[in-house]
Amino acid sequence: MNERMLLEDGLKQLSLSFSPQSVEKLLRFSDLLLEKNRVMNLTAVTDPTEVVTRHFLDCAVLAPHLPAGQTVLDVGTGAGFPGVPLAILCPDTVFTLLDAQRKRVDFLQETISALGLSNCTAVHARAEEFAKAHRAAFDVAVSRAVAELRVLCELTLPMVRVGGAFYAMKAADCMDEVGSAAHAFAVLGAPAAELLHYTVPHAGVERTMVRLQKLEDTPDRYPRRFKKIQTDPL
Ligand code: SAM
């Protein structure tokens, strides 16, 4: 199967509805990513087939959790994961892609413009700084491969509104990490973690999504300075 067939079949296996334009945009994004990856470090994945499986189909699993009209923040998006594939697959959901590395955000701004993604903005900022002006500003937050949950939740949950949710994409064996973060979940206003296990189509990789429903406001003192978050995690 070529990349297009893998992508279309994988999206069907996930029971996602998608348009021919979405498939074109995803394949174009793969080209832009691999082209830029030759001159800067964006992803360890260099095979176009694995861009489809390990990046696009992995990220696509989140699409059914992001209703039209909602605002979604992707914390530590890097080269645009999970945010860019989701913005393509959910054109009526509004995405903010946040990253601390200027060059990656520059790449994302070029990509958003090249793909004509009107529902997506890339912002260069550290999450703990961005949170100061964006408390409870998003319906949903998402994040993949950024930090351990105790740290990640302090960076992210302050920006989710009460009634919203945070989806952290993790490895299949994240139970210890989830257990260690129980105190952080409670302190930050999202006490009950729900684990959603899945297999990425055509990759055969098992993964887990940690869903945290925000039930209460996060106390104003969080997030703390990054050094404090890291050296003294909740
Ligand atoms: N989420 C992407 C993925 O799954 O491919 C990128 C993962 S990359 C390993 C981690 C990214 O998180 C980096 O691009 C880094 O700049 C960003 N990051 C780490 N800490 C951050 C913070 N406090 N605020 C914003 N971005 C951060």
Side-chain angles (χ1 to χ4, degrees):
M1 273 201 239
N2 64 22
E3 285 85 50
R4 180 184 301 272
M5 290 159 77
L6 272 181
L7 178 57
E8 290 180 347
D9 188 72
L11 293 172
K12 281 180 196 155
Q13 284 189 38
L14 294 171
S15 307
L16 294 177
S17 57
F18 57 92
S19 64
Q21 292 83 353
S22 300
V23 170
E24 286 310 321
K25 286 186 183 188
L26 285 165
L27 295 174
R28 178 84 185 108
F29 177 41
S30 176
D31 290 343
L32 293 171
L33 176 72
L34 294 178
E35 197 179 307
K36 196 62 156 189
N37 204 38
R38 293 202 200 105
V39 292
M40 66 179 279
N41 179 20
L42 286 172
T43 173
V45 173
T46 53
D47 173 12
T49 302
E50 292 201 352
V51 173
V52 168
T53 54
R54 290 182 173 269
H55 282 325
F56 294 170
L57 294 177
D58 182 34
C59 297
V61 171
L62 261 173
H65 301 280
L66 309 176
Q70 294 218 326
T71 53
V72 178
L73 175 68
D74 180 5
V75 174
T77 188
F81 299 109
V84 171
L86 291 172
I88 293 170
L89 291 167
C90 309
D92 299 319
T93 306
V94 178
F95 291 81
T96 301
L97 315 183
L98 189 67
D99 203 276
Q101 283 196 35
R102 160 60 72 190
K103 284 187 175 176
R104 291 181 170 177
V105 173
D106 288 346
F107 163 72
L108 287 173
Q109 284 169 343
E110 288 163 23
T111 299
I112 288 166
S113 165
L115 299 179
L117 295 180
S118 56
N119 61 329
C120 191
T121 311
V123 177
H124 173 231
R126 293 199 60 87
E128 63 277 17
E129 295 298 322
F130 193 70
K132 289 177 189 163
H134 297 85
R135 288 198 81 78
F138 295 90
D139 297 310
V140 175
V142 298
S143 190
R144 188 182 80 161
V146 173
E148 72 153 293
L149 270 174
R150 288 181 300 174
V151 171
L152 186 61
C153 283
E154 185 168 349
L155 294 174
T156 302
L157 279 169
M159 292 186 271
V160 179
R161 68 167 170 84
V162 171
F166 173 37
Y167 294 86
M169 303 177 71
K170 289 285 174 186
D173 60 348
C174 63
M175 308 330 163
D176 289 351
E177 191 182 339
V178 172
S180 311
H183 175 67
F185 299 156
V187 167
L188 297 165
E194 191 182 347
L195 304 188
L196 311 170
H197 302 287
Y198 63 96
T199 304
V200 182
H202 294 295
V205 178
E206 307 276 326
R207 305 264 299 151
T208 297
M209 202 123 67
V210 181
R211 174 161 59 192
L212 291 155
Q213 297 282 356
K214 181 104 176 247
L215 299 182
E216 291 165 24
D217 281 324
T218 301
D220 285 344
R221 62 182 174 277
Y222 304 111
R224 298 164 294 167
R225 285 178 297 113
F226 191 66
K227 198 166 178 198
K228 188 74 177 161
I229 297 173
Q230 261 195 323
T231 55
D232 184 20
L234 288 169

